[in-house]
Amino acid sequence: MTSTLAPDLAQYLAANEKKAHDELFELLRIPSVSARSEHVPDIKRCAEWVAKSIRDAGMTAEILPTGGHPVVLGEWRGAGKDAPTVLVYGHYDVQPAEPLELWTSPPFEPVTRDGRIYARGSVDDKGQLFLHIKAIQAHLATRKKLPVNMIVLAEGEEEVGSENLERFIGQNAKRLACDYVVISDSSMFAPGLPSILSSLRGLAYFQIDVQGAAGDLHSGSYGGAVANPATVLARIIASFHRPDGHIAIRGFYDKVRAWKPKERQQLKKLPFTDKTFLEESGAPATVGEKGYSTLERVWARPTCEVNGLLSGYTGEGAKTVLPAKAMAKVSCRLVPDQSPEEIQKLMKAHVAKMTPRGVTVTVQHLHGGRPWRAELDGPLFDAARRALKTAFAKEPVIVGEGGSIPVVGDFQRILGAPVLLVGFGLPGENAHAPNEWMLEENFVKGARAMAALWDELRGGGR
Ligand code: BES
Ligand code: MN
Ligand code: MN
């Protein structure tokens, strides 16, 4: 049976397309950068804006404090006790926009070029959160009701590690009790190809500081006779991998659950080539752990990556200095059943073992998140397959993901509800980078798909 989007919903969404577009642009103009304290007022303003848009959609909305940035909680519980309850999660905070000079148009002045909406947060995650609000509105505006009870949880600190959300969910577990969680904060595998996520990697993020002399020294007077923190740090970093790409931290792979041959086989059916992967990324070649394909390296295997380095003189010309300190930001992407707590122990032990005389080295764990794999069966996933096919006229594919959404594992663990991850971004969308974009068409079709989903979940299609 082919399903279609109910005509009343289709008509409402079409008639209000321009309005939704203008409202999304308003949301994108708010620089809700969670990492920077100077943006705290913008975060607050953004939370208020999201709360109002949820109310305009016909739900109640409250702004609830956490230890950090506030959560916006929307509720509509008119479907009755026998109807399932769905929690839609998204985040209204965004990554910093720097380096600003690399943006073609300013990050917080959204514009449409070639059918793409360019702005920081367009795809990660404001556009995707907002399309859910518009899908809900289509139901409540046309029918005064939804087929399911609905909770919308919009977070303000996903991009800084969701430090306070786990506790928030625990403390509000009764109120957040639900049968299903739905999240749109990821991408489709290829243009026009709707995708359901089957996995996310976890994260363990570190800062490594190497301290040598009390202050910078003349590299002629002291060089060769005291330790150089930059050299020490370079050696530590180099020790993370073997030449074949395998991570050399003792015990690192002990908990890694290998993908089954059948699952590895299925990856090969996806429309993927290293060539397009390289075009998208602009990298000259793929490299990585021996024995694994590119998709396996990104989805099924853990990593240890340097995210930033700082030491010594980096200004114009030459300066003969022996730096007093060196610092690196390093993060490991994790796969089931690795845990951030355990990786933290292994990393600290490894660095301690690699620390020579003449320096002190500290390793701080900045934040972590658990990896996740989905059970892709049950009514929600069947309904999602039908709803995506309705909106995109194509059968969805099941894909993995290399990125992390720390809260997904918490939802599953604390609320005991299965999580559906269905995203409307695209490869090359520049999330976290200059010139982030979301395809306008995916915003429109995403809203249609999510409007169809709530009918599909209750009625099994029309
Ligand atoms: N939306 C992303 C997660 C994601 C990344 C989904 C790539 C699909 C593809 C999310 O906003 C994000 O950036 N997560 C961070 C988590 C970190 C800040 C704890 C990440 O993956 O780096
Ligand atoms: Mn995101
Ligand atoms: Mn992000």
Side-chain angles (χ1 to χ4, degrees):
M1 191 176 69
T2 35
S3 352
T4 51
L5 176 62
D8 56 340
L9 302 176
Q11 203 268 329
Y12 180 88
L13 286 170
N16 289 279
E17 205 175 296
K18 171 81 174 70
K19 190 160 168 276
H21 169 101
D22 291 347
E23 288 172 6
L24 174 60
F25 274 37
E26 257 181 49
L27 174 58
L28 293 173
R29 280 188 199 105
I30 307 173
S32 49
V33 179
S34 49
R36 296 270 160 75
S37 49
E38 78 245 37
H39 285 295
V40 166
D42 298 314
I43 283 275
K44 188 164 170 273
R45 191 153 56 90
C46 196
E48 279 159 7
W49 194 99
V50 171
K52 179 171 183 302
S53 83
I54 290 173
R55 283 183 208 116
D56 289 345
M59 307 175 74
T60 61
E62 271 183 75
I63 297 174
L64 299 170
T66 69
H69 301 316
V71 159
V72 184
L73 194 67
E75 288 169 290
W76 186 87
R77 299 188 184 269
K81 280 208 159 39
D82 295 333
T85 300
V86 177
L87 186 154
V88 169
Y89 163 90
H91 61 92
Y92 67 83
D93 66 321
V94 300
Q95 286 272 329
E98 288 78 7
L100 298 180
E101 66 279 11
L102 296 184
W103 286 76
T104 304
S105 52
F108 298 106
E109 295 173 25
V111 288
T112 310
R113 287 194 299 273
D114 306 326
R116 297 165 169 189
I117 299 169
Y118 282 89
R120 169 57 85 235
S122 54
V123 73
D124 187 10
D125 179 39
K126 287 173 170 174
Q128 302 204 62
L129 168 64
F130 196 55
L131 70 83
H132 274 280
I133 296 174
K134 294 291 109 175
I136 291 167
Q137 184 168 32
H139 281 266
L140 292 175
T142 53
R143 304 172 181 172
K144 308 280 170 272
K145 59 184 171 43
L146 272 160
V148 295
N149 297 304
M150 185 66 73
I151 302 169
V152 175
L153 193 168
E155 186 196 359
E157 43 189 17
E158 196 277 343
E159 298 292 10
V160 287
S162 301
E163 280 305 303
N164 296 286
L165 199 58
E166 183 178 355
R167 187 178 328 135
F168 179 89
I169 296 168
Q171 285 172 345
N172 295 279
K174 262 219 170 104
R175 188 166 175 187
L176 300 177
C178 60
D179 301 284
Y180 305 110
V181 176
V182 177
I183 303 179
S184 298
D185 189 21
S186 54
S187 299
M188 309 204 311
F189 192 71
L193 189 60
S195 310
I196 295 174
L197 275 198
S198 65
S199 67
L200 288 167
R201 289 196 289 191
L203 194 67
Y205 202 115
F206 305 99
Q207 176 171 329
I208 302 175
D209 286 279
V210 181
Q211 178 74 49
D216 286 357
L217 299 171
H218 191 293
S219 70
S221 314
Y222 296 93
V226 299
N228 184 318
T231 308
V232 169
L233 184 60
R235 280 182 181 279
I236 290 174
I237 288 170
S239 75
F240 290 153
H241 297 88
R242 296 196 316 224
D244 66 0
H246 198 78
I247 293 162
I249 297 169
R250 186 188 294 273
F252 192 84
Y253 292 95
D254 285 0
K255 294 285 164 66
V256 171
R257 206 198 311 159
W259 282 33
K260 300 192 184 84
K262 198 175 135 217
E263 294 169 319
R264 292 182 73 176
Q265 208 54 39
Q266 268 165 357
L267 291 190
K268 296 196 184 138
K269 293 199 193 121
L270 291 167
F272 178 86
T273 61
D274 273 15
K275 186 169 168 280
T276 36
F277 184 78
L278 289 174
E279 278 163 13
E280 250 162 59
S281 61
T286 59
V287 302
E289 196 185 356
K290 209 174 142 212
Y292 295 92
S293 69
T294 297
L295 282 183
E296 287 171 342
R297 286 169 180 169
V298 180
W299 294 353
R301 302 297 293 168
T303 65
C304 181
E305 295 286 346
V306 177
N307 301 118
L309 277 175
L310 194 66
S311 187
Y313 180 71
T314 56
E316 194 183 343
K319 181 185 182 199
T320 45
V321 65
L322 200 159
K325 49 188 165 191
M327 185 276 278
K329 306 267 185 182
V330 172
S331 65
C332 301
R333 295 282 170 174
L334 312 180
V335 302
D337 296 311
Q338 293 176 301
S339 76
E341 294 79 17
E342 197 167 18
I343 294 303
Q344 181 185 345
K345 281 193 202 128
L346 300 177
M347 173 62 89
K348 285 184 171 163
H350 179 87
V351 172
K353 202 174 69 193
M354 291 302 300
T355 301
R357 266 162 26 94
V359 292
T360 48
V361 181
T362 56
V363 179
Q364 285 177 71
H365 182 240
L366 299 185
H367 62 70
R370 262 167 254 284
W372 170 83
R373 285 191 77 177
E375 311 277 343
L376 293 168
D377 45 23
L380 176 65
F381 294 96
D382 295 341
R385 286 193 185 95
R386 293 193 298 269
L388 287 168
K389 192 172 173 197
T390 294
F392 289 89
K394 203 154 200 171
E395 204 65 56
V397 289
I398 306 295
V399 297
E401 173 54 57
S404 312
I405 308 175
V407 73
V408 170
D410 299 334
F411 279 135
Q412 203 144 311
R413 208 179 58 257
I414 303 171
L415 303 179
V419 184
L420 167 73
L421 281 145
V422 50
F424 302 103
L426 279 178
E429 68 199 2
N430 296 325
H432 295 201
N435 302 315
E436 176 180 349
W437 55 269
M438 178 169 189
L439 198 67
E440 172 114 58
E441 184 184 305
N442 278 11
F443 176 75
V444 172
K445 288 186 176 170
R448 289 167 58 92
M450 293 302 99
L453 177 60
W454 312 131
D455 274 352
E456 292 290 347
L457 190 55
R458 263 336 267 298
R462 290 163 177 250

